[in-house]
């Protein structure tokens, strides 16, 4: 089993930056590819970014490309999402997930509880 705990969410003004983290514990002898997803009120959960096990590969949803950066520190079993030039439409609960590389939610085996990111206009 793998436990994922997100942190770093909060309230930020439009145009600002925020960095959220996801710490993995449990079966961390295996390095999983990971992803970030988000869910805004009244909307379905959507893909944000994904990163390979080594960190060499990543890709992003079109809506965040050029503004968000996913990275990882395997020595600390932590994945990050640096969010710049934030917009009110980025407001959502952000979830990290482990076990797959890509944008398909059902492929991910493990999920965190989420961290709220609110962008004020």
């Amino acid at each position: 089993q793998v436990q994922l705990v997100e942190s770093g969410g909060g309230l930020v003004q439009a145009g600002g930056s925020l960095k959220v983290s996801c710490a993995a514990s449990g079966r961390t002898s295996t390095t999983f590819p990971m992803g970030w997803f988000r869910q805004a009120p009244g909307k379905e959960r959507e893909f944000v970014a994904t990163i390979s096990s080594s960190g060499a590969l990543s890709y992003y949803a079109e809506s965040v490309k050029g503004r968000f950066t996913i990275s990882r520190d395997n020595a600390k079993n932590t994945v990050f999402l640096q969010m710049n030039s934030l917009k009110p439409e980025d407001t959502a609960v952000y979830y990290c997930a482990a076990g797959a590389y890509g944008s398909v939610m059902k492929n991910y085996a493990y999920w965190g509880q989420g961290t709220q990111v609110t962008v004020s206009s």
Side-chain angles (χ1 to χ4, degrees):
Q1 273 290 59
V2 174
Q3 292 79 44
L4 303 174
V5 178
E6 301 94 337
S7 62
L11 174 64
V12 63
Q13 287 189 332
S17 298
L18 202 61
K19 187 174 185 178
V20 293
S21 303
C22 173
S25 61
R27 198 180 127 196
T28 55
S29 58
T30 300
T31 302
F32 294 99
M34 298 187 69
W36 284 97
F37 293 78
R38 67 185 182 185
Q39 188 166 18
K43 294 188 177 181
E44 294 186 351
R45 194 171 299 188
E46 65 176 6
F47 166 75
V48 176
T50 187
I51 189 166
S52 62
S53 300
S54 68
L57 301 175
S58 61
Y59 73 89
Y60 302 86
E62 285 297 321
S63 59
V64 306
K65 196 175 293 184
R67 300 188 297 123
F68 290 12
T69 302
I70 189 171
S71 62
R72 67 189 301 159
D73 183 342
N74 286 343
K76 296 182 178 180
N77 299 313
T78 303
V79 173
F80 306 96
L81 186 68
Q82 175 68 47
M83 302 180 286
N84 299 328
S85 302
L86 282 161
K87 306 174 181 180
E89 52 263 43
D90 294 318
T91 295
V93 177
Y94 282 71
Y95 299 90
C96 71
Y101 177 75
S103 61
V104 180
M105 283 190 291
K106 66 179 183 179
N107 293 340
Y108 286 82
Y110 306 103
W111 290 84
Q113 294 300 305
T115 185
Q116 176 70 47
V117 172
T118 303
V119 184
S120 63
S121 57

